[in-house]
Amino acid sequence: MLLKPFAFALAALFAVVLPAAAAHGADGGDTVVATVNDHPITASEIDQRLQSLPPQVRGQFATGERRKQLIEQVILGYLMAEEATKEGLDRSPEFKAGMAQARESLLARMYMKKHVDEESQPTDAELKKEYEKHLPEMAPPAQIHARHILVKTEEEAKAARKRVVEGGEPFEAVAKEVSIGPSASKGGDLGLFGKGRMVPAFEKAAFALQEGEVSEPVKTQFGWHIIKVEKKQQRKAPTFEEVKGRLAQQVVQNRYRSQLKALADGLKAKARIEIKEGAAK
C-alpha cells in the first residue's frame, strides 16, 4: 500500500528538483528540518513539495513517517542535483530545455493560482440552490413488484384475465396453471424491478398500473402477457445534509473549471495562434 503514494512523491520530486535545488536555504525564521553537506533544507520547502503532490495522496505525507520519507526524497534530490552539476549536466542542451519548460510551467501555475479560485467553499444558500436544482435526478427511480402470465395467443390472454378479474381466481394459481414463462412455477412472480429491466411494451403497461390492478393483454416478442402489480415503491431522495459534502465538492470543481475556461478563452482571444497542419501526427 506504501508503494503507490511513495511513487507519487518521487515523481513530484524529480518533476521540480532542478529549479527547486536553487531555492534551498533557510530564510529568516524558517525552521531547518535537515542539512545536506551543511546545506539547510527548510520546513517551508518541504511544504512546497507537499503541495506539488496529487491531492489524493497529499494528506498522507503531511505528518509522521510519510513526511519523513518526503524529506528523505528531497535530500536525495539535492544530492543527485549536486552530483549532476559536478558532472556538467547543467550545461547540457537537455537541462537548458528542461529549465525553460520548468520556468514556463511554474509561471503558468502561479498565474492560475492568482486568477482561478480553487479553495473558497460555497455557502449553504448556494448548496441548497444546487440541491433543489438536482433533486429530481437524485431521487432513486421508482420500482414495482409485479407478476405476469405469459401465453401464446391473445385469446388465451383474455381467457386468463377473465378468470382472475371476473372469476376471482388467485392470479398466482392461474399463472402456475397456464403461463409458459419461466416464472410460472412462482405464480408469475417477477420480483421488484425498475425501468429499463423489461422490454418497452411490457414496461410501459406495468408502470401504468396501480397496485392490485390487472392489465389488458400486452403483446411482446415473447407472446401475450397479463400483468398484475403487487406493489409500487418510490424511494426517497437523499436529504440535503446527506449530500451536502458531495455537492460542495461538485460546486467547487464546476466553478474551477468554469473560471479556468473563461481565463483560457480570454488569453486565446488576445493571442495570435496558429497550429500547423499535420502537427498532431
Side-chain angles (χ1 to χ4, degrees):
M1 295 299 292
L2 178 62
L3 181 59
K4 187 172 290 185
F6 185 80
F8 271 131
L10 194 59
L13 166 71
F14 291 122
V16 294
V17 68
L18 290 172
H24 280 279
D27 182 16
D30 198 2
T31 304
V32 174
V33 296
T35 58
V36 187
N37 295 333
D38 298 323
H39 193 96
I41 295 174
T42 66
S44 62
E45 181 181 353
I46 300 304
D47 289 337
Q48 281 186 329
R49 295 300 177 88
L50 190 65
Q51 291 304 310
S52 70
L53 297 178
Q56 62 266 36
V57 299
R58 192 178 296 157
Q60 299 176 25
F61 288 89
T63 58
E65 190 62 30
R66 294 287 180 85
R67 186 175 177 88
K68 185 179 177 183
Q69 291 174 0
L70 189 58
I71 294 171
E72 290 173 350
Q73 290 307 311
V74 172
I75 291 172
L76 177 59
Y78 180 81
L79 290 173
M80 289 185 174
E82 193 175 60
E83 291 301 312
T85 301
K86 291 177 183 178
E87 294 179 10
L89 297 180
D90 59 326
R91 298 189 296 276
S92 68
E94 181 181 357
F95 174 78
K96 292 175 182 178
M99 285 296 289
Q101 291 177 4
R103 175 183 179 276
E104 183 179 297
S105 177
L106 178 58
L107 286 172
R109 287 200 301 272
M110 291 174 66
Y111 184 80
M112 284 174 55
K113 187 173 182 180
K114 180 180 179 181
H115 294 280
V116 179
D117 178 15
E118 58 178 325
E119 294 184 359
S120 64
Q121 294 298 306
T123 64
D124 272 10
E126 289 178 287
L127 292 179
K128 285 177 181 177
K129 184 177 180 181
E130 195 72 11
Y131 175 76
E132 295 296 335
K133 176 182 174 182
H134 293 286
L135 185 58
E137 62 200 58
M138 288 192 290
Q143 292 184 310
I144 60 174
H145 177 199
R147 297 176 183 272
H148 81 136
I149 297 170
L150 174 64
V151 290
K152 292 182 179 180
T153 67
E154 184 177 10
E155 289 71 25
E156 289 176 290
K158 288 179 177 179
R161 185 178 189 278
K162 186 175 182 179
R163 288 176 60 179
V164 173
V165 176
E166 297 181 19
E169 294 184 52
F171 192 96
E172 304 94 298
V174 178
K176 286 180 180 179
E177 181 183 332
V178 304
S179 181
I180 59 173
S183 63
S185 63
K186 299 184 293 183
D189 194 353
L190 296 172
L192 199 65
F193 60 89
K195 290 185 176 181
R197 290 279 306 280
M198 304 297 178
V199 293
F202 187 97
E203 177 183 288
K204 182 178 179 181
F207 276 88
L209 297 172
Q210 299 302 314
E211 288 187 4
E213 189 177 0
V214 178
S215 74
E216 296 290 339
V218 179
K219 189 177 188 307
T220 72
Q221 63 264 46
F222 303 108
W224 287 85
H225 308 257
I226 299 298
I227 308 165
K228 180 185 178 184
V229 170
E230 299 285 2
K231 184 178 181 181
K232 302 190 83 168
Q233 179 175 301
Q234 178 64 58
R235 292 178 289 172
K236 292 182 179 179
T239 66
F240 172 70
E241 291 300 328
E242 288 173 333
V243 296
K244 181 178 176 180
R246 178 157 50 91
L247 282 175
Q249 185 179 29
Q250 184 177 320
V251 168
V252 170
Q253 289 176 348
N254 289 343
R255 181 172 59 203
Y256 177 79
R257 282 194 291 264
S258 177
Q259 291 181 0
L260 184 59
K261 183 179 184 304
L263 183 69
D265 290 346
L267 291 173
K268 290 177 182 178
K270 295 186 294 184
R272 295 186 302 275
I273 300 173
E274 180 185 0
I275 299 177
K276 303 294 184 182
E277 186 176 349
K281 292 182 180 179

